[in-house]
Amino acid sequence: MAAKVALVTGASSGIGEATALELKSRGFVVYGVARRVDRMRHLTKSGIKVLSMDVTDDDSMQAAVDAIVSEAGSIDVLVNNAGYGSYGAVEDVPMEEARAQFEVNVFGAVRLVQLVLPHMRLRRSGTIVNITSMGGKIHTPLGAWYHGTKFALEAISDCLRMELQPFGIDVVVIEPGGIKTEWAGIAADKLRETSGHGAYAVQANAMAQSMVGEASVKRQSPPQLIADTIAQAVTAAKPKTRYAVGFGAKPMIFMRSILSDRGFDGMMRTATGISKALKARSA
């Protein structure tokens, strides 16, 4: 039986890199894609094929998919992992940045789904893995646009799952918790840049510190945990529709399900240090 072909986005670091390596170790033909090929050179030593792709550029996505199908004959697994966290108060975040967040985290992922589906339908098999977040089920302070993208991708995945069931194609959602990647640092920097000096500065600086503080970093799970979960899903005869894994994912999603809206708001303000910071300012 021919080896299955997997396309992994955001493969230059973190979850994407770990997933590409894990799938390769399990016998998949793996194509790792990202904007910067130079950051993926090391993956070629493990037999991973690397291609340049910008998920905000339609021509780039089309060219990569065409190249993979031409060379490998099919795409059996798509792992939509590329994404970033844009944090800041709704009042502060420029609409250009809000649109950019959706372009990368939602529209890029969905466009890739559109591009691979004709090949999967032809074979009446395939697995689409969308990396959302526990942030697709919960909310955190100053993360409106980021959470908006993850909530959106959760809903799109649910609809897509029903559409594709008659064609034998599975749709899987992975909901990571806190993971040791570049994500938290990038999100914290954007938060400070956007809201760290105005009306929301107290909240923004407390939230940013909670993202990158030593206590948070120590508890984060390794990217390999997510890679193992993805590998488990794409090799299962009947994968789960959702996998909540990594630090805090299951407990936080559970707490959101049992607390009232305001009760969860209060818990998050306390957990992120915002309540303490606001009290200190007013003292």
Side-chain angles (χ1 to χ4, degrees):
M1 184 179 295
K4 290 188 175 182
V5 179
L7 167 57
V8 181
T9 70
S12 61
S13 64
I15 291 172
E17 177 185 26
T19 299
L21 290 167
E22 182 61 32
L23 293 180
K24 177 61 181 175
S25 75
R26 297 194 185 211
F28 284 78
V29 174
V30 179
Y31 288 82
V33 301
R35 286 182 301 169
R36 293 178 55 184
V37 174
D38 59 293
R39 294 189 63 185
M40 299 185 289
R41 298 284 186 203
H42 64 289
L43 295 178
T44 61
K45 297 177 182 178
S46 299
I48 294 166
K49 302 173 185 291
V50 301
L51 292 172
S52 176
M53 179 193 288
D54 182 344
V55 297
T56 68
D57 184 315
D58 197 82
D59 290 342
S60 170
M61 290 187 281
Q62 182 74 69
V65 170
D66 288 347
I68 295 169
V69 173
S70 176
E71 181 175 280
S74 67
I75 296 176
D76 302 290
V77 172
L78 168 63
V79 180
N80 270 320
N81 166 70
Y84 73 101
S86 184
Y87 270 65
V90 171
E91 183 179 350
D92 292 338
V93 176
M95 291 308 298
E96 180 181 2
E97 170 59 24
R99 293 186 181 98
Q101 178 78 149
F102 268 82
E103 284 290 345
V104 173
N105 289 8
V106 180
F107 301 135
V110 176
R111 179 57 179 146
L112 268 180
V113 169
Q114 291 180 331
L115 291 172
V116 305
L117 274 180
H119 307 288
M120 289 184 175
R121 283 193 296 99
L122 185 65
R123 298 165 67 90
R124 301 190 72 82
S125 68
T127 305
I128 293 168
V129 179
N130 289 329
I131 310 297
T132 62
S133 167
M134 66 177 176
K137 290 290 186 64
I138 69 168
H139 55 277
T140 57
L142 303 158
W145 291 111
Y146 171 72
H147 288 286
T149 65
K150 295 306 183 180
F151 271 68
L153 194 54
E154 291 261 343
I156 290 167
S157 298
D158 284 334
C159 295
L160 190 63
R161 184 179 65 250
M162 291 190 288
E163 293 172 16
L164 299 183
Q165 188 275 333
F167 301 103
I169 300 168
D170 290 310
V171 178
V172 174
V173 170
I174 307 292
E175 299 167 334
I179 307 297
K180 286 186 175 75
T181 68
E182 298 173 348
W183 184 93
I186 293 170
D189 287 345
K190 276 192 167 290
L191 175 53
R192 290 191 180 105
E193 178 184 348
T194 303
S195 295
H197 304 286
Y200 302 91
V202 174
Q203 297 182 65
N205 289 311
M207 181 65 186
Q209 181 58 34
S210 77
M211 290 174 162
V212 296
E214 185 178 354
S216 295
V217 172
K218 282 184 177 180
R219 294 194 293 265
Q220 290 172 348
S221 301
Q224 187 61 43
L225 175 62
I226 308 302
D228 291 341
T229 303
I230 293 169
Q232 175 188 345
V234 301
T235 56
K238 189 175 182 180
K240 297 177 183 178
T241 59
R242 277 178 172 78
Y243 296 79
V245 287
F247 173 70
K250 289 181 180 178
M252 291 298 288
I253 292 171
F254 174 71
M255 292 303 293
R256 183 66 187 96
S257 71
I258 63 171
L259 291 175
S260 67
D261 291 343
R262 289 192 176 88
F264 190 81
D265 292 352
M267 186 187 80
M268 291 309 301
R269 281 194 296 267
T270 298
T272 57
I274 286 177
S275 290
K276 183 178 180 180
L278 289 172
K279 286 178 181 177
R281 186 189 66 169
S282 61

